[in-house]
Amino acid sequence: MTETTALLRALHCDLAAVCNFLAALLYETGESGTTSMYAETASKALCKAGSYYRLADELEEKE
């Protein structure tokens, strides 16, 4: 994987997290289980994004 690919994957995960946070806000008035599902998915996406950002940093240092 290249540094650029890692950064693109991190950006994708960040966007997925934002979409899930927005969905959680939209469905906030609905069932609480739905809201927590979106919030949990957003949290996982942010964790993945952080992993890809660290990978990109490591790949940058190798160059």
Side-chain angles (χ1 to χ4, degrees), residues 2-62:
T2 65
E3 177 188 1
T4 303
T5 305
L7 289 172
L8 288 172
R9 287 187 181 190
L11 181 60
H12 175 264
C13 291
D14 283 340
L15 290 173
V18 169
C19 290
N20 278 289
F21 279 130
L22 290 174
L25 288 174
L26 177 67
Y27 294 114
E28 185 175 42
T29 57
E31 300 174 21
S32 61
T34 303
T35 303
S36 65
M37 178 186 70
Y38 285 114
E40 183 180 333
T41 305
S43 177
K44 288 179 182 178
L46 287 175
C47 287
K48 279 186 181 180
S51 297
Y52 283 122
Y53 282 126
R54 284 189 294 280
L55 178 60
D57 285 341
E58 290 173 10
L59 291 170
E60 181 184 30
E61 289 174 1
K62 288 182 180 180

